[in-house]
Amino acid sequence: MTSELDIFVGNTTLIDEDVYRLWLDGYSVSDAVALRVRSGILEQTGATAAVLQSDTMDHYRTFHMLERLLHAPPKLLHQLIFQIPPSRQALLIERYYAFDEAFVREVLGKKLSKGTKKDLDDISTKTGITLKSCRRQFDNFKRVFKVVEEMRGSLVDNIQQHFLLSDRLSRDYAAIVFFANNRFETGKKKLQYLSFGDFAFCAELMIQNWTLGAVDSQVDDMDVDLDKEFLQDLKELKVLVADKDLLDLHKSVVCTALRGKLSVFSEMEANFKNLSRGLVNVAAKLIHNKDVRDLFVDLVEKFVEPCRSDHWPLSDVRLFLNQYSASVHSLDGFRHQALWDRYMGTLRGCLLRLYHD
Amino acid sequence: MPGKLKVKIVAGRHLPVMDRASDLTDAFVEVKFGNTTFKTDVYLKSLNPQWNSEWFKFEVDDEDLQDEPLQITVLDHDTYSANDAIGKVYIDIDPLLYSEAATVISGWFPIYDTIHGIRGEINVIVKVDLFNDLNRFRQSSCGVKFFCTTSIPKCYRAVIIHGFVEELVVNEDPEYQWIDRIRTPRASNEARQRLISLMSGELQRKIGLKVLEMRGNAVVGYLQCFDLEGESGLVVRAIGTACTLDKLSSPAAFLPACNSPCKEMKESPLVHPPSHGCRSTQNSPIHTATGSRLTQNFSVSVPTLIYTGMGSGSAGKEGGPFKALLRQQTQSALEQRGGSPHRFCKRREFPFFTLTAFPPGFLVHVGGVVSARSVKLLDRIHNPDEPETRDAWWAEIRQEIKSHAKALGCHAVVGYSESTSICEEVCILSASGTAAVLNPRFLQDGTVEGCLEQRLEENLPVGCGFCHIPYDELNMPFPAHLTYCYNCRKQKVPDVLFTTIDLPTDATVIGKGCLIQARLCRLKKKAQAEANATAISNLLPFMEYEVHTQLMNKLKLKGMNALFGLRIQITVGENMLMGLASATGVYLAALPTPGGIQIAGKTPNDSSYEQHISHMQKKINDTIAKNKELYEINPPETSEEVIGSPIPEPRQRSRLLRSQSESSDEVIELDLSHGKKDAFVLEIDDTDAMEDVHSLLTDVPPPSGFYSCNTEIMPGINNWTSEIQMFTSVRVIRLSSLNLTNQALNKNFNDLCENLLKSLYFKLRSMIPCCLCHVNFTVSLPEDELIQVTVTAVAITFDKNQALQTTKTHIEKSLQRASTDNEELLQFPLELCSDSLPSHPFPPAKEHLESASSNSGIPAAQRATSVDYSSFADRCSSWIELIKLKAQTIRRGSIKTTVTVEKASPMGEGNFRNRSAPPCANSTVGVVKMTPLSFIPGAKITKYLGIINMFFIRETTSLREEGGVSGFLHAFIAEVFAMVRAHVAALGGNAVVSYIMKQCVFMENPNKNQAQCLINVSGDAVVFVRESDLEVASTQQAAATCQPLCTGGEVTT
């Protein structure tokens, strides 16, 4: 006796959250059944393995049919084939677009192209996430990217509107899209200590302050691309380190203000010029795409690592950065205050977030 | 021109990409009705076209309006080649043809293609202007309402129940060999869908004409089926019950339906609630056997079993002569009407009713399940213009049913249904129903003398009357085992009851019920034509007998004594016959405690064998004990509690009566009290019998928190909450063709069904505590080694604790209220009676209360309690006391008790009507509930929008790509649900009740990567309103209702 056909169709589509998770995680039906058996469900319900198998198959089939709709979540809301309560629809979408931290760290800032897709095998091996799940996550990134890439308006809003994601997840996707578009390098060894959250935080700051959308909300690609003009102008900041007097003046203003307030005052004093040079040079180089990509590498190399090697506490870093950016206003010879604030305001936020072990 | 049909095509959305180059579609729409076609403009390059067309107007006969579907085709315009079809929508405009139903059809319909499934949606508006043209000789029957519901629909009151209507139409099947056809599969499927749609329309119109001839205005319990006879053609046949229905004046007037799926009783003039029963015993003999006869087309009539009682007893004191009188009268009522020249003559021939639940008092006694089967050879040459052969076949079967009913002392058959099973050229026609004695009052227009009515009512204590035997004890056509009724002690009852109807709402039931199934396979040699038919008809009686035995065994094993909703399906395949019987077992308080099952061996000398037997015996006894506990079947003697426990009364009563009966009638009483004598003896003298015993014990009870039944309501559960989940599950297994034996086959089939049930329990575990209601199994044998089982049911959650808690609190409140209310209540029925039905005097107050309680949505068990009180209260002879008790039960039965009471009386109704439009608008838009039941828990139905009857074909030539057979069928069934929901929503409805999947024919050819499936579904589209939405208004209302009693009454009557 073999089962040829075995289906269950409810007027309201049954969604089993546990099975959905297994499906999203890319387990095959048999693996999923095995995992469910291990969860002790048979004992709880008195069901048999055959029942579990049939149930899992059914759910997988349903999810498979739903997947097409999940690719365009508004479709899921308007379709007539599956009657699903709104809360369940939201859950389906949110979970489908959720991603693994380990995975996103691997692809963050990479071009979402076929080439990267080929590397998914390696990512899967490296992270222990099934290839199927990697593909889903990658395709989600790519799909969202494609849809919002050329769109006007706020990146987060666009994502939310076209994919019906929660605010939190929309922000994450905005970061992913932003990183993918600007191809920030995040995979270097010295960046490994950073989490997706760190990058997402920085992305949000940069989107808010450094993109075209930050100054003009009527431009295409406003939130996705950095403001070229702004990057161009950043060269002007170079004067802060190129002009020796200005640099010394800057240093003395900062040191005066911070004397006695920092536990690492002497180290700061000794390193001030290096740190300042690092930060300003980063700004000045951002006109080249290559250097934009290396932004995080540079920040870590030029600022985070030196401070860390001197064991600066975070509070000192904060005090320093505040003072460092603020004191530029008292430098009489410096004319690019607004530019400096736009640059340093964001950078300060980023650096504070990046500064940890 | 009696009608103008107007159609507007508004827009489309989610259309498929038809032009690969642009990834877009240039869509336009053809609107076709009859032979007229209109087209919209082409909407270029869009997947969401906005046609916003003009109104297309079709001027048509109302006959065509009834027969033809509106056909909407969406196409992709192509400049260079032929336009590609995207898909179609068929809209049945019948609901627009009667005044009270929908006035407009407007909404998004899935665009369906038989090859690709649903491909986007289209927004359509349809209206009909009907002109009255009464002078013409009518071929149309516009205005006759159709209901699938097998009880009187909630917003209506039955004035007269006329009786049986049937019709069939035949045609050639446009496609009888789907695999080797010449035209494209799409064209052939569409021709078929269209033909069936036409035929259903025609059939419905013809039935409507018959109803009009009978002076009815509605068909209730309408069941339409297709017989795909292959080469010999396509038969569409339908049966139903013609009624004259009155719409209840106010939409808010009828009761909260949450607990009582049954009828509207408030306005009914009847005294006692409906009752039904039938009897059966283990060794019920074959009652009649019609011999085989050969006609021009081969046919074998199969000996038929009537499940009846056995044993003998003395005549009841006043039962005999009275029953004879009653019978005579009803018979004459039936014949009188049939004989009238204006009425349809077939009605007299077949006093059948497709209803399974009845207005109170309609059903007096039940004689037993009657069934008839006949094996026919389908004629090869087919003449569509002469359906006489098929008509004659069915007439024969019905005649047989009628004579069986007569033999049981009954003149009518209720819960009647017909079915077929076809394999190649052999066809088994089956009909079954429950023989019954009906109250003539409903059957004719007020000519019955009142005295009989009164006698009737006095003689039949409510709650057990239907169990009393209808036949003459002295002159029984079969041996029956009778005892005095455990409830009233006045009339005789059989020891076991089998019926095809729903459990009467007033039946006194102890504990809960459960689904009981008998499953059976028999191998059969492959044969041709006559030889095949003969072989099948030879097997049938044995199958029926075995199915019956199994049912009996399982019933006893559950410790129960009655079956309701019995449905026996015999399916014929190439090399086997399958029998599947489903029913809901209950313990009726009126019937004796069932005896146990005893096992006996034939070789008693072998000690190990005896040990084995005693082991088995112990297992069986344990199972019975366990089941009694599981289903809360407490022996009546144990508990002391009277009020507060759900079934308090029977205990006390039976104790009282026991002592009484010991003096008067001890012989019978003693015999039954400990069941040893009638214990069922199973002889396990061969392996077959061993199998039987094993299979008895392998049926696993549902996991805790789950109950199941195949009737509308589950006895013992009444506090339904509003969550429902209707589902369809299909399984096909392939038998290994080697060494197939009957036992192996039985085991496979049994496992299939059991596993299916287990899967359902597992899937629905999140709904616990819940009950699977209306579990409907269908078996088919699509190929040699394939068995297909299709199950449709609804899972309904209930609140475990609520009943217990509310009981106490409500009693106190209700006692207060009852004392203030009862005087008013007492006055009232006289008024009602004189207003509405002057020709039927009946004892006033008691009846009204009775109807009030049954009206109020109190489920069986609790209402039954009230019934018991009446017999008990007679002793106390305190009228007020009785009323209090009744009011109490009313309160206990539902949460919104105040409202319930008000609504049960017309004054409440009057007030409700004053309150304007019901808050329909509040109901969530978009969600459409589907249920096989006639009600929606926690809600009340405010409007019936018309019948939904849809037929779909889906075919694929890329089976693997669509996920194999499971993926294909899963998607198709989901699409069918979607299309049903869309049509209901377009009619303005939010639910389908009495939903049924009548056919699911699945064929596959994996080698060719092909599959095809045909599905036919039907149901009633309705508008319902959540009770919680009404709650506030009603409670306010309730406070005000006490005063204006008389005026209220006048408003309604």
Side-chain angles (χ1 to χ4, degrees), chain B residues 166-179:
Chain B
E166 50 79 34
E167 186 62 85
L168 64 79
V169 292
V170 295
N171 210 316
E172 271 177 273
D173 193 336
E175 177 217 82
Y176 46 86
Q177 284 186 321
W178 67 275
I179 276 172

Side-chain angles (χ1 to χ4, degrees), chain B residues 694-758:
Chain B
H694 277 299
S695 71
L696 267 185
L697 294 169
T698 48
D699 279 10
V700 191
S704 78
F706 261 112
Y707 294 91
S708 56
C709 62
N710 76 334
T711 46
E712 287 241 311
I713 36 157
M714 178 68 172
I717 299 179
N718 42 62
N719 36 342
W720 301 113
T721 47
S722 59
E723 196 187 341
I724 64 170
Q725 167 71 291
M726 189 283 297
F727 59 86
T728 292
S729 184
V730 185
R731 274 193 191 188
V732 177
I733 57 161
R734 186 176 290 279
L735 302 159
S736 50
S737 52
L738 300 165
N739 304 323
L740 262 190
T741 59
N742 277 335
Q743 280 98 326
L745 208 54
N746 275 333
K747 187 177 178 315
N748 278 333
F749 184 38
N750 217 22
D751 288 350
L752 172 59
C753 295
E754 283 293 315
N755 289 338
L756 188 45
L757 281 171
K758 276 185 210 158

Side-chain angles (χ1 to χ4, degrees), chain A residues 1-2 4-12 14 16 52 54-55 58 61-62 65 78 80-81 83, chain B residues 13 121 725-734 748 762-763 765 928 930 965-966 970 978 981 1004:
Chain A
M1 181 177 97
T2 50
E4 284 271 302
L5 185 158
D6 178 3
I7 57 159
F8 174 99
V9 190
N11 183 37
T12 304
L14 279 184
D16 185 309
L52 205 59
S54 137
D55 179 69
D58 243 348
R61 211 178 305 117
T62 308
M65 287 190 262
H78 295 294
L80 302 175
I81 298 180
Q83 187 159 270
Chain B
R13 68 183 183 197
E121 291 119 40
Q725 167 71 291
M726 189 283 297
F727 59 86
T728 292
S729 184
V730 185
R731 274 193 191 188
V732 177
I733 57 161
R734 186 176 290 279
N748 278 333
F762 180 77
K763 281 209 173 287
R765 65 192 184 284
V928 175
M930 291 168 75
V965 285
S966 295
H970 190 147
R981 288 191 302 254
E1004 55 168 324

